[in-house]
Amino acid sequence: MYGLKPDPCVLEVPDKYYSTGDYEKGVARWCPGCGDHSVLSAVQKLCQEKQLPPEKTVFVSGIGCSSRFPHYMKTYGFHGLHGRAFPVAEGVKFRRPDLNVFVVTGDGDCLSIGAGHWIHSIRYNMNLTVLLFDNQIYGMTKKQTSPTSPMGTISNTHPHGSVLPPINPIQTTLGVSNVSFVAQTADWLPGHLYATIKAAHEHQGFSFVKIMMRCTKFLPEEAKKMVGDKEHMTLLQHSDGIEVDMATANLFKHTVQHDPADIHQARAYSEDPEMSYLGLYYRDKTAPRYDLYGAHNLGATSEQKLKVLEEEFDKFAV
Amino acid sequence: MQPQPTTTAPGANPVQRSRKSISQHIVEIVSDSGEGAQKAGQSFGAICAKMGNGVWTVEIIPSDIQPPPRTKESTSGIRIRIGSGVITNAGDEADIVIAFNEIAPYSRIEQDAYQPGTKILLESMWATHDDEEVRENYTRAITDFKKLGFDVYEVPMQEECLKLVPDARRGKNMWVLGLLCQLYNRDIEIAADQIRHTFRKKTQNVIDVNLQLLQGGFDWAGQHLDFLYDLPPTLGGIDQVVMNGNEALSLGIIASGIEVCSMYPITPATSTSHHLAECFERAGGLVHQAEDEIAAIGFAIGSSYSGKPAVTITSGPGLALKTEFIGLAVMAEMPLVIINVQRGGPSTGMPTKIEQSDLLAVLYGQPGDTPKIVLAPSTIEECFQFVILARQIAEAFRTPVFILTDSNLATGVQPFARPKPRKEWFAPPVDQSPWPQGLNPYEWDSSNGISKRPIPGQRGGEFTVTGLNHNKEGKVSYLPEVNQRSSTMRSRKLAAFAKTLKPPQVYGEDHGDLLIVGWGSTRGAIEEAVDRARAEGIAVSSVHLRFMSPFEPDLAKLFKNFKKVITAEINYSDPVDDEFIAPEHRRYAQLAWVLRARTLVDIGCFSNVHGQPMRPNSILNAIRSITQPQNA
Ligand SMILES: Cc1ncc(C[n+]2csc(CCOP(=O)(O)OP(=O)(O)O)c2C)c(N)n1
Ligand code: SF4
Ligand SMILES: [Mg+2]
């Protein structure tokens, strides 16, 4: 959109150039150190870099700390119901393929109350950028067990520790038919976070990004541990994967080459109990997209509609 | 095939054919599913409509998906009520029954669909069936039917059809159509045209065979039936269309310019989306089959939010799931059309049966204060018109609008004047012009609560929709005065809309001993009962409400002109004289509850949950017992 056209002598001049400030609204009311802040910065930077027109960009969320996100973006936003961001976002995208639609959802929002919609939205494979803010706890309602809370997590609903193994969102997403983009990143690795969100946005389809998040308020110890734990984190690298700068790559102690076309290896990594893999697990650019099916039949003229009505009345005429 | 004069077959007894003139009649064709009874009945209805007679048809649907044949559960068929003038409902007991087997009438007898004097024309092939049990059943049934006072005529349908086709099972229905055409003095050429129309996608050979069957039944009836009728038409001369309420809804959706219908399959609403999906392919638009009803309304809201109002269509259980999103649509002021085709409830209830039990759920079924506009079509024509109206109200008032229909409208088929669609009915293109500077996303006009909504794509209108309470800037706020104000503004829309409504028309005199208040599909039956009661000298009138929220004006004033007011509705109420129920504990029918609260008039109710259409005679009996208690 910007810069030089194929003819290097012609400069494309935008009618408006957006700065990061054009996407910022108000002061985010998350706790200090909460991972949500870093995602907000990364997303604002992405909007600026991609020069997404604010009026053509919609952030749809559910309910939770993370779902407050749209209120801090100077774009269109839809802060809807707990667990129901996906259907709303799908309705927007289906009707308006021209809009950039992002979904912001929490681990409770997406994986518990919204789990049915989550599974189906993977299969619909509409062009949505999905950011799962996985802080492994219910933040907004003050520390209840979440579907991703590790077994033994002490919470207000399980004072002696949670009793079930957590849901593995990456594994599950990779198990749904028509899955088209699955990546993982972490809020405390800004370079990786940005590169991942950017790759997700560039993917034409349902891009599912699980963001490992710190809830400094309710899981402060875990938050500290996660940030410092280089032993259990591996960077997924590949020429077809998500490109990160040297400085970011150097933050990792372990690195593996992983071809994002290899769903079996992706699943194997997702199921590794000892290790979190960051980067692109899987991408399929050819998966059928439901929003394209939707777009095929928009924009009929009044004349066409009138004609069909008359045809139908002929059919029902006596 | 040219119409041929009826000839007397060799050996047949020529009968005296004097025709009895009638003003209306009810015919039922009952069979096992798959025998084409419904096709015969629909064709017969269309022929009658074409000749200028009034018609109402309604299908009789088996209660199971794959019931064993020749059981009460497998009874499938159709009721066709025809009249000289307009027919507005399915009526009372049948006059003529055509039964393809002797079991089928039993299930209808259980539903009081027949009465002494009803003529049953029974397929006689079972009399000579190989299986002795079948033969016994058949003989027993004839005895049973006669005991109940029905006139039974054994008709050799199979035998006659086999003279014309090798497989009688696939053709009996058109032979029966021929019989009916003779019985009611139908124009055989119009009937032949109808067959050509019905089978227009089939080969000429198929058409010819069916024309022969038609003529066969026509001739047989002419030679063998000693009762024939004449039903002089009084209508006609206008272009008509004939369809059921769900088809009318789907054409209404297209005519309204709505382009997205988001739904999850549920009886009896689903067939609307079947027809719509097919039409949308040509007219532009999409049916989204969501993963559940919550997603269906969420998707519709997302689609309304970013463009023209969308529609979501459902029935009771689905309505329950949509509750939270309905609240959001009210809170966020989202134009949206929600169609609820009511069925028997609560819970899974009676999916294929008729009930009007969702009124209170729609009006008050969401937590918090959720004012909304609710329309209730009372005819099939209104099913079409009200969608167009609902879309406009939704957009103009920036609010969800409900349309409440029911199974009776969904499956009832009635002719009405062919609509003349106009471009003005369509939703205008989505506004993408820059948002006026300084205008808030909820800049409520205090006089009507209306504000203009920014649509994504409008530069300068960026804001975040939220289900949290918000001020006019769209900002979250829990301040006492802000919540009071936003609640007032959402409510004020109803007051403003109410001002646009006219008092409802009274059927009959505007004063008297009794006023019956109805809503939805019971209109025809109520008005017919009022006609009959007035003919008996009873001072009764009726009024039919089509706007359930807000109500049409001046109801209290109207009610005061009558000694007694009752509602007639198909939903539950405690009987007045129930020994277990103290008067202050009595649970009223749903409209009665609301009207009592609104008007402070002591309104009674006549209601039941039989799952059946209300019959004129049952309403008439209620009228009699209220106005002449001494005779009751
Ligand atoms: C239908 C419904 N049920 C429950 C709630 C209460 N509720 C609000 S947020 C939340 C959990 C949020 O957890 P998560 O999705 O992980 O988001 P976080 O706050 O951790 O970012 C719950 C249970 C609600 N708003 N709506
Ligand atoms: S409670 Fe946790 S998730 Fe919520 S804002 Fe605070 S740190 Fe973030
Ligand atoms: Mg959480």
Side-chain angles (χ1 to χ4, degrees):
Chain A
M1 191 173 176
Y2 287 87
L4 299 179
K5 281 193 165 178
D7 176 352
C9 300
V10 180
L11 180 70
E12 194 176 345
V13 183
D15 63 338
K16 180 153 174 38
Y17 185 78
Y18 302 103
S19 64
T20 333
D22 287 325
Y23 302 97
E24 291 169 2
K25 192 168 74 184
V27 182
R29 300 241 193 92
W30 291 303
C31 304
C34 171
D36 296 11
H37 292 288
S38 20
V39 187
L40 180 63
S41 308
V43 168
Q44 284 165 343
K45 186 171 156 207
L46 174 79
C47 290
Q48 195 276 334
E49 152 112 11
K50 295 281 174 188
Q51 287 291 302
L52 303 183
E55 74 274 16
K56 290 246 180 196
T57 305
V58 187
F59 284 83
V60 182
S61 65
I63 298 289
C65 292
S66 38
S67 289
R68 287 284 180 131
F69 194 97
H71 288 282
Y72 309 129
M73 292 296 301
K74 214 161 151 191
T75 62
Y76 279 91
F78 197 114
H79 177 211
L81 299 181
H82 191 31
R84 319 293 174 201
F86 287 119
V88 172
E90 287 152 11
V92 174
K93 191 68 193 173
F94 200 69
R95 185 66 192 74
R96 291 291 302 273
D98 60 313
L99 300 176
N100 305 296
V101 186
F102 292 78
V103 175
V104 177
T105 179
D107 40 324
D109 199 60
C110 176
L111 311 171
S112 186
I113 191 169
H117 307 312
W118 163 48
I119 300 295
H120 285 275
S121 62
I122 299 164
R123 180 172 152 258
Y124 293 145
N125 190 30
M126 302 176 75
N127 192 10
L128 302 171
T129 309
V130 180
L131 308 177
L132 168 61
F133 288 39
D134 182 11
N135 58 5
Q136 309 186 338
I137 199 78
Y138 284 13
M140 177 114 246
T141 45
K142 300 191 172 30
K143 203 178 186 181
Q144 295 82 21
T145 307
S146 121
T148 53
S149 302
M151 217 163 140
T153 301
I154 307 275
S155 77
N156 284 318
T157 39
H158 295 105
H160 303 293
S162 64
V163 293
L164 291 173
I167 274 187
N168 178 336
I170 295 188
Q171 177 202 38
T172 308
T173 304
L174 285 168
V176 177
S177 56
N178 214 33
V179 55
S180 86
F181 183 105
V182 183
Q184 175 158 255
T185 183
D187 84 74
W188 58 90
L189 301 170
H192 193 266
L193 176 68
Y194 178 73
T196 307
I197 295 176
K198 180 161 166 264
H201 174 70
E202 284 165 0
H203 174 70
Q204 301 295 299
F206 186 87
S207 341
F208 183 79
V209 181
K210 175 180 171 255
I211 309 174
M212 298 164 72
M213 285 286 209
R214 287 164 298 166
C215 175
T216 43
K217 171 97 178 163
F218 295 120
L219 297 175
E221 291 311 313
E222 291 78 350
K224 254 187 243 142
K225 218 175 98 202
M226 278 199 288
V227 176
D229 186 4
K230 294 197 177 176
E231 219 36 74
H232 296 99
M233 291 242 257
T234 298
L235 178 65
L236 296 175
Q237 278 199 313
H238 194 266
S239 52
D240 263 352
I242 294 169
E243 240 180 86
V244 291
D245 53 52
M246 282 300 284
T248 300
N250 287 339
L251 295 172
F252 287 85
K253 201 170 159 194
H254 309 290
T255 298
V256 290
Q257 285 291 315
H258 168 62
D259 179 356
D262 185 349
I263 197 161
H264 301 293
Q265 188 57 50
R267 285 178 180 151
Y269 285 144
S270 77
E271 287 166 10
D272 187 337
E274 296 302 319
M275 189 65 76
S276 295
Y277 296 84
L278 272 69
L280 184 58
Y281 281 73
Y282 182 66
R283 177 172 54 208
D284 176 3
K285 293 182 184 170
T286 66
R289 269 171 58 192
Y290 189 49
D291 48 339
L292 295 184
Y293 163 76
H296 89 276
N297 214 18
L298 294 173
T301 61
S302 299
E303 284 68 27
Q304 281 169 298
K305 290 179 200 287
L306 285 175
K307 184 167 161 274
V308 170
L309 281 169
E310 294 298 350
E311 282 166 12
E312 287 301 306
F313 290 138
D314 286 346
K315 215 155 75 186
F316 288 104
V318 291
Chain B
M1 189 181 68
Q2 290 303 309
Q4 288 157 16
T6 46
T7 51
T8 307
N13 290 331
V15 291
Q16 204 60 40
R17 276 180 284 118
S18 69
R19 288 189 178 270
K20 184 177 167 201
S21 193
I22 50 172
S23 63
Q24 68 87 31
H25 240 209
I26 297 168
V27 181
E28 282 194 3
I29 311 174
V30 289
S31 67
D32 268 340
S33 26
E35 293 189 299
Q38 293 170 346
K39 189 174 243 172
Q42 281 150 359
S43 302
F44 182 62
I47 293 162
C48 293
K50 232 172 242 171
M51 288 183 67
N53 291 101
V55 187
W56 180 284
T57 61
V58 62
E59 289 179 357
I60 299 158
I61 299 163
S63 42
D64 289 332
I65 294 278
Q66 281 295 358
R70 287 178 45 83
T71 57
K72 279 193 272 184
E73 293 70 37
S74 69
T75 301
S76 155
I78 187 163
R79 166 177 276 226
I80 314 114
R81 188 176 183 206
I82 47 179
S84 278
V86 176
I87 295 290
T88 61
N89 65 88
D92 296 299
E93 293 85 2
D95 299 286
I96 299 283
V97 178
I98 311 232
F100 285 25
N101 65 54
E102 79 288 357
I103 311 287
Y106 281 108
S107 77
R108 300 294 295 153
I109 290 167
E110 279 175 1
Q111 307 192 0
D112 290 330
Y114 310 148
Q115 66 182 355
T118 296
K119 291 181 167 55
I120 299 188
L121 280 66
L122 182 60
E123 161 68 278
S124 62
M125 63 182 271
W126 311 106
T128 54
H129 196 271
D130 292 343
D131 186 338
E132 191 187 329
E133 203 186 317
V134 172
R135 294 198 301 273
E136 277 172 12
N137 271 340
Y138 180 80
T139 321
R140 196 177 324 119
I142 292 183
T143 319
D144 286 350
F145 297 164
K146 285 186 176 159
K147 251 190 235 152
L148 289 164
F150 309 151
D151 298 336
V152 183
Y153 300 81
E154 294 177 79
V155 178
M157 302 180 197
Q158 173 95 351
E159 190 184 320
E160 288 296 316
C161 289
L162 284 176
K163 293 177 187 168
L164 301 165
V165 286
D167 179 5
R169 213 181 128 81
R170 314 189 55 187
K172 207 181 274 182
N173 61 339
M174 289 298 122
W175 190 88
V176 162
L177 177 63
L179 179 150
L180 286 172
C181 286
Q182 178 68 269
L183 190 56
Y184 292 101
N185 207 14
R186 305 289 82 180
D187 183 332
I188 189 78
E189 189 48 27
I190 291 182
D193 274 346
Q194 184 61 38
I195 286 198
R196 289 184 197 105
H197 178 74
T198 308
F199 295 98
R200 65 191 178 284
K201 289 187 182 145
K202 298 280 162 68
T203 62
Q204 187 59 41
N205 189 36
V206 171
I207 295 176
D208 289 342
V209 167
N210 281 290
L211 287 172
Q212 282 167 27
L213 286 161
L214 175 81
Q215 189 73 44
F218 191 83
D219 292 347
W220 185 92
Q223 292 150 13
H224 295 87
L225 294 183
D226 58 359
F227 51 94
L228 295 174
Y229 304 106
D230 200 23
L231 187 73
T234 62
L235 310 167
I238 52 158
D239 280 351
Q240 291 190 106
V241 285
V242 56
M243 63 184 76
N244 68 35
N246 277 359
E247 288 160 339
L249 285 174
S250 73
L251 290 180
I253 289 170
I254 292 177
S256 73
I258 288 174
E259 286 169 340
V260 171
C261 171
S262 176
M263 48 69 73
Y264 185 80
I266 186 164
T267 304
T270 320
S271 68
T272 304
S273 50
H274 295 176
H275 182 230
L276 190 60
E278 199 269 311
C279 294
F280 265 163
E281 272 308 311
R282 289 170 288 137
L286 292 147
V287 169
H288 169 58
Q289 180 183 332
E291 60 270 25
D292 59 34
E293 281 91 348
I294 300 177
I297 184 171
F299 190 101
I301 287 175
S303 156
S304 285
Y305 160 70
S306 57
K308 300 174 188 179
V311 63
T312 183
I313 176 158
T314 193
S315 190
L319 177 72
L321 287 184
K322 289 177 197 290
T323 305
E324 195 187 4
F325 260 128
I326 294 168
L328 176 71
V330 172
M331 184 60 138
E333 306 191 35
M334 205 57 78
L336 177 71
V337 177
I338 304 167
I339 302 177
N340 181 37
V341 185
Q342 298 166 97
R343 64 189 221 177
S347 188
T348 312
M350 301 196 288
T352 58
K353 300 293 179 193
I354 296 164
E355 228 173 87
Q356 302 176 302
S357 287
D358 296 347
L359 177 62
L360 294 178
V362 163
L363 292 178
Y364 309 117
Q366 305 78 39
D369 185 51
T370 50
K372 62 189 87 68
I373 292 168
V374 182
L375 316 181
S378 66
T379 62
I380 287 163
E381 187 176 14
E382 283 175 357
C383 288
F384 172 77
Q385 295 165 338
F386 278 25
V387 188
I388 304 165
L389 186 63
R391 200 276 302 156
Q392 291 171 37
I393 299 169
E395 191 76 274
F397 286 85
R398 195 179 176 183
T399 183
V401 176
F402 275 85
I403 298 177
L404 266 175
T405 74
D406 63 42
S407 283
N408 196 22
L409 288 170
T411 57
V413 177
Q414 190 190 29
F416 59 90
R418 178 176 173 137
K420 296 188 181 60
R422 291 187 287 128
K423 279 188 198 172
E424 295 78 77
W425 291 353
F426 298 144
V430 180
D431 188 358
Q432 292 289 278
S433 62
W435 182 253
Q437 255 194 346
L439 185 66
N440 286 309
Y442 295 97
E443 191 76 60
W444 294 296
D445 176 336
S446 296
S447 70
N448 55 26
I450 295 173
S451 54
K452 186 177 153 67
R453 70 171 175 131
I455 297 175
Q458 290 193 281
R459 180 176 285 189
E462 297 85 358
F463 83 111
T464 293
V465 165
T466 174
L468 292 165
N469 186 57
H470 44 268
N471 59 17
K472 67 178 178 182
E473 284 115 38
K475 298 257 161 58
V476 175
S477 167
Y478 303 158
L479 290 175
E481 65 278 12
V482 172
N483 197 42
Q484 189 71 39
R485 162 114 174 129
S486 57
S487 300
T488 307
M489 287 301 103
R490 292 191 294 269
S491 186
R492 186 144 303 162
K493 296 189 220 182
L494 264 59
F497 179 66
K499 284 205 194 106
T500 68
L501 299 176
K502 295 192 194 70
Q505 272 189 343
V506 180
Y507 190 79
E509 297 285 324
D510 64 1
H511 60 274
D513 292 339
L514 176 65
L515 179 72
I516 312 262
V517 191
W519 64 285
S521 72
T522 51
R523 176 177 209 139
I526 292 175
E527 292 181 355
E528 192 167 330
V530 166
D531 284 341
R532 290 187 204 167
R534 293 186 78 85
E536 292 176 9
I538 301 174
V540 58
S541 302
S542 68
V543 67
H544 215 75
L545 305 184
R546 298 174 303 167
F547 295 87
M548 312 311 289
S549 166
F551 281 135
E552 290 138 292
D554 295 345
L555 294 181
K557 211 159 83 191
L558 172 67
F559 296 168
K560 302 232 159 79
N561 292 339
F562 291 84
K563 286 190 195 141
K564 184 133 191 60
V565 182
I566 63 161
T567 65
E569 318 175 51
I570 312 176
N571 54 46
Y572 184 79
S573 65
D574 288 330
V576 198
D577 46 8
D578 192 317
E579 57 171 312
F580 299 108
I581 291 157
E584 65 270 32
H585 289 156
R586 182 176 178 211
R587 299 177 64 237
Y588 286 80
Q590 301 200 359
L591 176 62
W593 274 128
V594 187
L595 286 176
R596 288 170 69 86
R598 288 230 173 253
T599 63
L600 297 182
V601 174
D602 183 12
I603 293 167
C605 54
F606 167 67
S607 85
N608 64 50
V609 283
H610 297 167
Q612 299 295 314
M614 237 181 208
R615 291 192 189 163
N617 266 344
S618 71
I619 303 168
L620 177 62
N621 287 334
I623 294 174
R624 285 186 188 134
S625 65
I626 289 166
T627 53
Q628 310 157 335
Q630 63 285 4
N631 301 342

